[in-house]
Amino acid sequence: MNTSTLIAPPALVRRAEQQDTKAIQALDSAHYIHPFTDHGDLATRGARVMTHADNIYVWDSEGKKVLDGMSGLWCVNAGYGRKELADAAYQQMMTLPFYNSFFQTTNVPAVQLAAKLAALAPKVGDRSFNHVFFSSSGSESNDTNVRMARRYWDLMGQPQRKVIISRHNAYHGSTMAGASLGGMSGMHAQGDLPIPNITHIEQPHHWENARAGETPAEFGVRAARWLEEKILAIGPDKVAAFIGEPVQGAGGVIIPPETYWPEIQRIVDKYGILLIADEVICAFGRLGHWFAYEKFGMKPDLVTFAKGVTSGYIPLGGVMVGNRVAEVLIEKGGEFNHGYTYSGHPVACAVALANLELMEREGLVDRVKNDTGPYLAQRFAELKDHPLVGEAETCGFVAGLVLVKDKVKRTMFDPDLAVGMICRGHCFRNGLIMRAVGDRMIIAPPLVMTRAQIDEMMGLIRLCLDATLDDLRSQGLLG
Ligand SMILES: *Cc1c(COP(=O)(O)O)cnc(C)c1O
């Protein structure tokens, strides 16, 4: 299939043409408060109105086709337009659209999904995952983690273990607990965050945080030891858990050195602290594994998931609860006074089951691990020869590059120039969605992307880097 000529089905094109962009933008600006958006900007420029999507492409109300290098928001792993997922939702809605799981009731899709996830989660060391708690998002799941970790220590007779350690520039969601666990200073600055008993250490980012001449392996161990220093400063008997994304996503696709997670594991084991892997991005094939903890030598007690579990077709999240916590919570726990109306929502669970089946049938996890992932790594590494690119790395189907003023001296641009945003603007205009995190440009493409489509995306990325370079040269900003 020559996917570069793939066009929207006629019915979809008609639907797009029926939208009056200006009218939608005016209504949008008048009534809709967007997440993470400056509404002054939005009112003057008008939101881009997305109307339909197919495979790895999305279309806006002006009929412009864009290659979605971000899988929506890291979630459309199976690609757009998958009829199986729509059918699963329709059938479940007509059978049992909703019932709760409180008060000794359950439903078939929730049970089947819990069992399926338990089967997919690899056993590592003495940790196995036979239990799942469901929510509707990553943020809610991390709220659950905070409550579950503290409940665990209460039941263990150590109620003074309350502190949860996270990392600067981590992303764990946007609820009170989620934003507190996250290490985004902009989020902490609004609304008195973090909440008490959550603290942060520095991230394991070799490019930004390593000493001159320090190898990634040396840096990985040193970065992990920041955790031990923090534990000792707080008092080991007061620490409940450490939480981290195996690879930081929203922070800018920050891939830790290989030595990092094994050293973290040694430290949490030494002090008996729970390890929480936030795999909201990393699970379900994103890094070439059903769960990424397996890849990194982590033995987590709790694993957060959301996004890719339904390929984003419907909201669903949850926590995989390892045997160490489950045994205490279930056998000693009595009632855990926690749950959501939509915990185990039958429609969301039915869509997740259909999504996981589809991913298995098409071998998407294996493809990313052994075929398209390595190919993306090879093609992405070629960008290192570009004058603007200081570092370019991938892990499975996430990738990040840093735009630099001087590659040799490793000097960055003045943040006020917002070079990342200039580059992102070129991407949009040229039909590519690539995200800017400061001057890091990142992608997380749908897992269905073929080698030919990777070539198409790489062509667009190079085009946009060249256009950014031209801009900077013509403005005399290259020093
Ligand atoms: C997106 C994300 C979250 C938050 O998930 P929501 O569904 O937006 O609440 C939490 N953790 C990580 C690692 C994420 O990427």
Side-chain angles (χ1 to χ4, degrees):
M1 180 176 61
N2 180 358
T3 44
S4 62
T5 58
L6 192 81
I7 52 158
L12 295 179
V13 172
R14 268 201 307 280
R15 199 190 305 162
E17 284 169 352
Q18 282 163 9
Q19 316 283 348
D20 177 341
T21 303
K22 287 266 175 294
I24 299 277
Q25 286 172 333
L27 268 183
D28 176 68
S29 164
H31 300 291
Y32 183 14
I33 299 181
H34 292 236
F36 289 99
T37 296
D38 179 328
H39 285 79
D41 277 1
L42 191 72
T44 42
R45 275 188 281 163
R48 175 178 268 216
V49 185
M50 296 313 200
T51 54
H52 59 279
D54 190 41
N55 186 238
I56 64 165
Y57 304 97
V58 291
W59 282 260
D60 71 13
S61 56
E62 301 291 281
K64 188 167 173 60
K65 175 185 168 187
V66 188
L67 190 159
D68 185 5
M70 280 305 297
S71 304
L73 211 47
W74 320 85
C75 52
V76 187
N77 290 10
Y80 296 97
R82 306 310 301 253
K83 187 168 180 300
E84 297 94 323
L85 306 196
D87 286 344
Y90 177 80
Q91 300 225 332
Q92 188 56 44
M93 281 190 188
M94 295 306 287
T95 313
L96 180 74
F98 176 75
Y99 203 77
N100 69 69
S101 295
F102 294 26
F103 319 129
Q104 319 276 344
T105 57
T106 195
N107 68 77
V108 178
V111 174
Q112 287 178 334
L113 180 61
K116 178 75 190 172
L117 291 170
L120 287 176
K123 186 172 160 38
V124 279
D126 58 356
R127 304 282 194 284
S128 57
F129 293 90
N130 296 313
H131 296 87
V132 186
F133 184 91
F134 289 117
S135 73
S136 302
S137 71
S139 303
E140 287 176 354
S141 304
N142 281 327
D143 278 47
T144 295
N145 278 329
V146 172
R147 298 202 54 198
M148 214 178 254
R150 290 183 181 160
R151 176 76 182 142
Y152 168 81
W153 287 115
D154 283 350
L155 291 166
M156 292 293 286
Q158 300 185 51
Q160 80 289 350
R161 280 200 191 245
K162 297 246 187 288
V163 178
I164 300 177
I165 303 173
S166 178
R167 301 175 299 178
H168 294 301
N169 202 34
Y171 189 78
H172 297 298
S174 199
T175 50
M176 293 294 279
S180 296
L181 291 170
M184 301 290 180
S185 52
M187 293 174 79
H188 290 175
Q190 299 175 349
D192 284 333
L193 301 180
I195 56 174
N197 289 314
I198 290 176
T199 186
H200 301 80
I201 59 172
E202 196 44 82
Q203 62 180 340
H205 188 192
H206 183 262
W207 172 264
E208 212 171 289
N209 303 102
R211 293 176 181 141
E214 196 175 26
T215 66
E218 289 160 355
F219 170 72
V221 172
R222 187 166 68 86
R225 298 220 172 127
W226 293 329
L227 174 61
E228 188 156 27
E229 287 164 24
K230 189 63 137 185
I231 292 168
L232 294 172
I234 296 165
D237 63 331
K238 294 201 174 62
V239 180
F242 175 70
I243 184 169
E245 303 152 82
V247 168
Q248 284 160 263
V253 178
I254 290 157
I255 304 162
E258 271 176 24
T259 51
Y260 180 75
W261 282 114
E263 182 65 6
I264 291 278
Q265 188 65 53
R266 183 191 69 76
I267 294 165
V268 293
D269 285 346
K270 178 172 173 190
Y271 298 100
I273 291 162
L274 296 176
L275 178 62
I276 307 171
D278 184 343
E279 297 216 14
V280 169
I281 288 174
C282 296
F284 306 112
R286 179 57 59 200
L287 304 187
H289 295 254
W290 287 104
F291 288 95
Y293 62 80
E294 178 190 36
K295 176 182 172 73
F296 289 97
M298 302 167 76
K299 292 185 278 170
D301 298 288
L302 300 165
V303 180
T304 323
F305 64 89
K307 296 194 170 114
V309 67
T310 58
S311 284
Y313 277 58
I314 198 164
L316 178 71
V319 178
M320 302 298 300
V321 182
N323 52 334
R324 173 178 170 196
V325 173
E327 279 160 18
V328 174
L329 203 70
I330 292 164
E331 281 165 27
K332 291 204 213 167
E335 186 168 337
F336 180 34
N337 299 320
H338 175 68
Y340 307 108
T341 299
Y342 298 134
S343 287
H345 193 291
V347 179
C349 292
V351 172
L353 281 165
N355 178 55
L356 298 178
E357 252 166 50
L358 181 158
M359 290 184 64
E360 279 181 327
R361 196 169 58 243
E362 298 185 357
L364 292 183
V365 178
D366 189 60
R367 242 167 81 182
V368 169
K369 186 175 182 192
N370 297 311
D371 178 17
T372 48
Y375 186 64
L376 176 67
Q378 177 201 323
R379 293 295 328 265
F380 207 76
E382 292 167 12
L383 294 174
K384 286 183 197 164
D385 68 14
H386 194 278
L388 274 182
V389 176
E391 171 200 54
E393 35 172 18
T394 71
C395 184
F397 253 33
V398 295
L401 61 84
V402 59
L403 301 171
V404 293
K405 188 167 177 178
D406 185 325
K407 293 171 74 127
V408 183
K409 294 193 209 127
R410 292 169 57 116
T411 37
M412 304 288 292
F413 290 101
D414 176 351
D416 288 344
L417 294 175
V419 173
M421 292 305 278
I422 295 174
C423 183
R424 197 188 71 151
H426 284 297
C427 292
F428 251 61
R429 278 188 290 284
N430 287 293
L432 170 69
I433 291 175
M434 196 174 189
R435 181 160 157 181
V437 179
D439 289 348
R440 282 181 80 77
M441 302 303 299
I442 60 176
I443 51 164
L447 310 189
V448 290
M449 184 176 264
T450 61
R451 283 176 174 241
Q453 289 172 328
I454 290 174
D455 291 340
E456 181 190 344
M457 177 175 71
M458 294 312 302
L460 288 170
I461 292 176
R462 210 170 257 282
L463 185 81
C464 298
L465 289 171
D466 288 345
T468 308
L469 184 65
D470 285 348
D471 268 7
L472 294 169
R473 275 206 182 116
S474 64
Q475 293 172 47
L477 294 172
L478 275 179

